[in-house]
Every structure is written in C-alpha cells, then in structure tokens.
Amino acid sequence: MHPFRQAVEAHDMGAAEALLAEDVVFTSPVAFRPYRGKPLTAAILRAVSEVFSDIHYVRELASEDGRDHALVFEAKVGDREINGCDFLHMNEAGEIDDMTVMVRPLSAAQALAAAMGARFEQISREASAG
C-alpha cells in the first residue's frame, strides 16, 4: 500500500504532507492552472480532507519502476458520491513531486469546486504561513 494512501485513509494529513517534495506541482480537477510548492499543496490537501467524507481507496496501480502511481478512490462531497484518481509521480528521493487529481461525475466535481472555493482564503492564509 502506498504511504500516501495510508496517510489519507488514516486522516493523517501531517504524514501526507511529509511525503511532498518542496517543489511539488499539484493539478486540481477544478482549477485551470496547477498549484506549485509544498505549503500550498499541503493546505489544499488539508482542505480536501475536510470536504471529503468516507474517502477510501479501491484500487492502486504502480509503474514497474515504482515512480508513478494511480490511486483510485471513492468519497462523498456533501450528499454527492464522487469517484476519482490521484496520479502521483515520485522524484529520485521518493517524494511526491507531481500530483494530478481527476474526479467524476460532473455534479460531484461542481460540488467539490464550490466547497473548495469557499475555503480558498483559508487555504491561501495557511500556505502563506507555511
């Protein structure tokens, strides 16, 4: 089991943050441009952990060299069921240096966008403080 999956399923966002490279690039399913840097990505992950309920991973795929992972999950955003996948790339030090999240269906993605949008100021403050 990938350590990121273990951290998320244990609701241990500190452990998830510890896996991030300083120069991590996070591509959100609901934002146009990627986010860059560990403080901002960590703040986003903390907010997502508040927005998602009942998150659990149902499948895990890895490349032969162990540097690319696809973690398929199910969760809820409010009353909407959401399916998604975390695509992770590990740098040579074993840290996550690239993370892309994709979700479906559209109604759940819209609920996620609204919930995360409501937390954007908090996310920005936390990232600036980090």
Side-chain angles (χ1 to χ4, degrees), residues 24-69:
V24 64
V25 176
F26 177 78
T27 304
S28 165
V30 297
F32 179 71
R33 290 192 170 92
Y35 297 102
R36 299 183 183 280
K38 186 173 182 172
L40 183 53
T41 301
I44 290 168
L45 292 177
R46 286 191 297 272
V48 168
S49 74
E50 296 170 2
V51 169
F52 280 171
S53 62
D54 301 328
I55 186 165
H56 59 280
Y57 289 89
V58 296
R59 191 171 309 121
E60 187 172 323
L61 307 165
S63 63
E64 285 187 30
D65 66 3
R67 293 189 59 189
D68 290 289
H69 300 268

Side-chain angles (χ1 to χ4, degrees), residues 37-116:
K38 186 173 182 172
L40 183 53
T41 301
I44 290 168
L45 292 177
R46 286 191 297 272
V48 168
S49 74
E50 296 170 2
V51 169
F52 280 171
S53 62
D54 301 328
I55 186 165
H56 59 280
Y57 289 89
V58 296
R59 191 171 309 121
E60 187 172 323
L61 307 165
S63 63
E64 285 187 30
D65 66 3
R67 293 189 59 189
D68 290 289
H69 300 268
L71 308 177
V72 181
F73 65 86
E74 296 174 346
K76 288 187 177 178
V77 177
D79 63 349
R80 302 276 181 187
E81 292 183 6
I82 194 165
N83 308 101
C85 189
D86 295 332
F87 295 96
L88 309 177
H89 181 268
M90 314 302 285
N91 64 18
E92 291 189 18
E95 302 166 319
I96 299 168
D97 65 356
D98 188 81
M99 180 176 186
T100 298
V101 180
M102 294 188 179
V103 297
R104 63 156 306 278
L106 178 59
S107 61
Q110 290 168 329
L112 176 62
M116 291 300 290

